[in-house]
Amino acid sequence: MTRIRGKKPLFEPGLIPAPGHVLDWRDGRHFDRWQDRPCALCEQPTPMRSHYGEPVHKACAEDWIRQNPSEARLGRFASDVQAKRRLDDDHA
């Protein structure tokens, strides 16, 4: 298992989903189109990256959150920051 303690995220992580919920990884920085690397959890190749640059399948990260709810609160895997909706958008 790879440890990331003390490592800064490459970009700002958002909320940690509740166990059993899905991660929102829409940002393109989660995808490395040039190189697949072994997933930190299942060791199969993946182009996906966490906010810390850790190679990991999104499904593997979601399973890990479900199996390790206490450790998940430390933020190893998190969703992307959601853009705030403007009030003007609701009335358009």
Side-chain angles (χ1 to χ4, degrees), residues 15-32:
L15 299 175
I16 298 153
H21 289 80
V22 296
L23 289 163
D24 181 351
W25 280 3
R26 296 180 194 184
D27 192 298
R29 292 176 282 186
H30 286 291
F31 188 79
D32 181 349

Side-chain angles (χ1 to χ4, degrees), residues 7-82:
K7 190 174 181 184
K8 292 185 121 185
L10 300 175
F11 57 107
E12 184 179 0
L15 299 175
I16 298 153
H21 289 80
V22 296
L23 289 163
D24 181 351
W25 280 3
R26 296 180 194 184
D27 192 298
R29 292 176 282 186
H30 286 291
F31 188 79
D32 181 349
R33 66 184 210 184
W34 304 111
Q35 183 178 25
D36 284 0
R37 298 187 123 171
C39 174
L41 301 174
C42 76
E43 299 183 3
Q44 295 299 311
T46 181
M48 298 300 293
R49 303 290 185 266
S50 72
H51 289 86
Y52 293 92
E54 182 178 17
V56 63
H57 295 104
K58 183 175 168 279
C60 290
E62 291 163 351
D63 287 344
W64 184 88
I65 290 169
R66 191 179 73 256
Q67 295 169 6
N68 302 281
S70 297
E71 284 184 64
R73 291 185 301 210
L74 300 175
R76 182 177 185 186
F77 305 115
S79 289
D80 293 339
V81 173
Q82 298 300 307

